[in-house]
Amino acid sequence: QVQLVESGGGLVQAGGSLRLSCAASGRTFSRSAMGWFRQAPGKEREFVAVINWSGGSIVYADSVKGRFTASRDNAKNTVYLQMNSLKPEDTAVYYCAASSPDSYFYKLRTDQYPYWGQGTQVTVSS
């Protein structure tokens, strides 16, 4: 079974940067998409980015476009989220998720991902 483990969260000042990692173990999917989501206190879990595991196609939420960059290292079964120019409103628990393998890449909903990591806390101070 696929297991996902996030790391790299922490406390950073506004304008700073963090790099999150999501390491996959067990079975990986050659035709799956990998998603990043976040959930702030009192809010619904929201889409951040999705990246095709076998290619470079990426979709970002409007709120992070131009500041966040998703990438992957398939040899390490790891997906990354580079977060620059962080704002206090970026404060949330960040989750990575793996979709089932298929050719459909544009997956923005939580119910499209059967596998989830435990989350990592990102706190941005003003």
Side-chain angles (χ1 to χ4, degrees), residues 45-108:
R45 190 170 298 185
E46 67 175 351
F47 168 79
V48 174
V50 58
I51 182 170
N52 192 317
W53 189 252
S54 61
S57 297
I58 307 170
V59 175
Y60 298 98
D62 288 342
S63 59
V64 306
K65 190 174 296 183
R67 300 188 297 119
F68 290 11
T69 304
S71 61
R72 85 199 96 86
D73 185 340
N74 288 336
K76 296 181 178 180
N77 293 321
T78 301
V79 178
Y80 304 96
L81 186 68
Q82 178 68 45
M83 306 185 295
N84 298 326
S85 302
L86 283 163
K87 306 173 182 179
E89 52 262 44
D90 295 318
T91 295
V93 177
Y94 283 71
Y95 300 89
C96 66
S99 71
S100 298
D102 59 34
S103 61
Y104 184 61
F105 165 68
Y106 199 75
K107 298 178 177 178
L108 311 183

